[in-house]
């Protein structure tokens, strides 16, 4: 190597030294960063809350700020009994106890699978269902979380232009527990039922996961819905899995009057967030309309 090269390298290092020292000094002199004050919201419920078939996916994706962690622990087919019996409530309690969050809320929505005719899931409306809700509220509070009770999302079945409000008794039981225990309440059942009845069965069918069969669509025009599987029901094609690898999850999309596709999820999550901003004012700065 030439003498000229060594001189050039030495000059370059000498030029860099003050800059490095200045950077080190600047970092040392910076004031400490303000700690983040993040909150968390947990979603507990059934398929009308879980991702892909309920409002929860849209809610977490579109309606909370970056200062609110949104964890959807809802699972399809669960009731106030089976959600606890399988261990899902224990997972939710563990999430409520995670340190570092200044506040943690838990939204609790059940009712669909507590109704009669759900083997292994149904609960007695007069005794077991409200008792289960009270236990959820008590245990959430003991875990340091703030529970919010939701009445269940309406089904979209009609007769002669009138909505079948089959979840009204369960909604009434939830409202009573919320009043007794001083729990914030979002009456999602009434709000969603009123909106669906006002638009009618044909318009409400757009909220399903896939379009209805021609027979179902024709019946809706008369103001009365028929069995969702009448005619040739529209379903999404099953994913083609490579046998050499573990299969990915299957969304199992189909038309019915209970579950939600993307449009339905967006519509009802917007309805929910507007109601939450009123029922839980402290949550308002963390919600996006």
């Amino acid at each position: 190597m030439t003498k000229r090269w060594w001189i050039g390298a030495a000059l370059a290092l000498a030029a860099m030294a003050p800059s490095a020292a200045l950077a080190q000094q600047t970092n040392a002199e910076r004031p400490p960063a303000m700690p983040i004050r993040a909150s968390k919201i947990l979603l507990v419920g059934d398929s009308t809350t879980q991702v892909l078939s309920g409002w929860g996916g849209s809610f977490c994706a579109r309606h909370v700020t970056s200062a609110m962690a949104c964890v959807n622990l809802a699972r399809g087919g669960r009731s106030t009994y089976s959600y606890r019996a399988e261990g899902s409530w224990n997972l939710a309690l563990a999430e409520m106890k995670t340190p570092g969050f200044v506040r943690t809320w838990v939204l609790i929505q059940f009712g669909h699978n507590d109704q009669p005719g759900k083997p292994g899931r149904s609960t007695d409306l007069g005794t077991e269902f409200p008792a289960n809700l009270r236990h959820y509220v008590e245990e959430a509070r003991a875990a340091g979380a703030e529970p919010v009770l939701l009445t269940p999302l309406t089904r979209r079945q009609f007769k002669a232009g009138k909505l079948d409000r089959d979840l009204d008794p369960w909604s009434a039981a939830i409202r009573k527990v919320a009043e007794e225990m001083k729990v914030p309440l979002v009456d999602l059942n009434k709000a969603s039922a009123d909106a669906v009845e006002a638009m009618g069965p044909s318009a409400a069918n757009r909220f399903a996961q896939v379009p209805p069969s021609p027979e179902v669509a024709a019946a809706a025009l008369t103001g009365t819905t028929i069995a969702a599987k009448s005619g040739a029901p529209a379903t999404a094609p099953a994913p083609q899995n490579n046998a050499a690898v573990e299969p990915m999850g299957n969304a199992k999309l189909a038309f019915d009057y209970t579950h939600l596709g993307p449009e339905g999820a967006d519509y009802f999550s917007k309805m929910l967030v507007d109601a939450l901003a009123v029922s839980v004012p402290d949550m308002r700065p963390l919600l996006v309309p």
Side-chain angles (χ1 to χ4, degrees), residues 39 41 43 59-60 62-68 70 105 107 186 269-289:
S39 296
I41 187 166
L43 311 184
F59 177 83
C60 287
R62 297 174 178 268
H63 294 294
V64 298
T65 71
S66 60
M68 174 96 92
C70 189
W105 287 277
L107 308 189
V186 173
S269 63
K270 173 66 166 64
M271 176 181 289
L272 172 65
V273 79
D274 289 344
L276 268 179
V278 175
S279 297
V280 191
D282 287 353
M283 198 188 294
R284 190 181 183 93
L286 302 171
L287 298 174
V288 178

Side-chain angles (χ1 to χ4, degrees), residues 130-184:
N132 289 346
L133 289 175
R134 292 187 190 99
H135 291 153
Y136 281 131
V137 169
E138 291 166 352
E139 292 171 12
R141 286 172 169 168
E146 300 174 58
V148 180
L149 292 177
L150 278 59
T151 57
L153 182 74
T154 187
R155 294 190 176 96
R156 304 181 298 278
Q157 293 168 297
F158 284 77
K159 184 174 183 180
K162 287 192 67 66
L163 183 70
D164 180 7
R165 301 189 180 222
D166 64 324
L167 286 158
D168 278 1
W170 282 263
S171 299
I174 296 167
R175 286 193 292 268
K176 184 177 180 181
V177 171
E179 183 179 2
E180 290 174 352
M181 303 190 73
K182 309 300 182 198
V183 184

Side-chain angles (χ1 to χ4, degrees), residues 19-32:
S19 298
L22 180 61
Q24 186 176 8
Q25 182 182 20
T26 302
N27 288 337
E29 292 177 350
R30 277 189 182 137

Side-chain angles (χ1 to χ4, degrees), residues 4-249:
R4 181 178 297 175
W5 185 91
W6 281 108
I7 294 173
L11 290 173
L13 288 172
M16 291 171 60
S19 298
L22 180 61
Q24 186 176 8
Q25 182 182 20
T26 302
N27 288 337
E29 292 177 350
R30 277 189 182 137
M34 291 294 292
I36 186 172
R37 292 181 57 80
S39 296
K40 180 191 283 189
I41 187 166
L42 305 175
L43 311 184
V44 166
D46 55 31
S47 58
T48 60
T49 301
Q50 75 172 3
V51 296
L52 296 177
S53 64
W55 51 263
S58 178
F59 177 83
C60 287
R62 297 174 178 268
H63 294 294
V64 298
T65 71
S66 60
M68 174 96 92
C70 189
V71 183
N72 191 343
L73 296 178
R75 294 185 171 83
R78 274 58 171 190
S79 67
T80 55
Y81 163 74
S82 62
Y83 191 86
R84 177 189 295 276
E86 71 182 6
S88 285
W89 181 243
N90 286 335
L91 296 178
L93 287 173
E95 284 285 346
M96 295 176 216
K97 298 173 184 177
T98 303
F101 295 95
V102 292
R103 297 183 77 169
T104 297
W105 287 277
V106 53
L107 308 189
I108 303 169
Q109 183 206 269
F110 287 107
H112 287 83
N113 299 295
D114 287 88
Q115 290 184 303
K118 308 283 185 177
R121 296 173 283 171
S122 298
T123 62
D124 181 79
L125 176 59
T127 56
E128 191 178 9
F129 180 66
N132 289 346
L133 289 175
R134 292 187 190 99
H135 291 153
Y136 281 131
V137 169
E138 291 166 352
E139 292 171 12
R141 286 172 169 168
E146 300 174 58
V148 180
L149 292 177
L150 278 59
T151 57
L153 182 74
T154 187
R155 294 190 176 96
R156 304 181 298 278
Q157 293 168 297
F158 284 77
K159 184 174 183 180
K162 287 192 67 66
L163 183 70
D164 180 7
R165 301 189 180 222
D166 64 324
L167 286 158
D168 278 1
W170 282 263
S171 299
I174 296 167
R175 286 193 292 268
K176 184 177 180 181
V177 171
E179 183 179 2
E180 290 174 352
M181 303 190 73
K182 309 300 182 198
V183 184
L185 173 79
V186 173
D187 199 346
L188 182 60
N189 182 259
K190 185 179 188 308
S192 60
D194 289 349
V196 167
E197 186 162 47
M199 68 182 66
S202 289
N205 279 348
R206 76 184 191 272
F207 292 149
Q209 293 177 316
V210 297
S213 69
E215 289 82 356
V216 169
L221 292 173
T222 71
T224 298
T225 54
I226 60 175
K229 294 184 179 180
S230 298
T235 58
Q240 299 299 312
N241 294 315
N242 185 334
V245 299
E246 194 69 23
M248 296 179 72

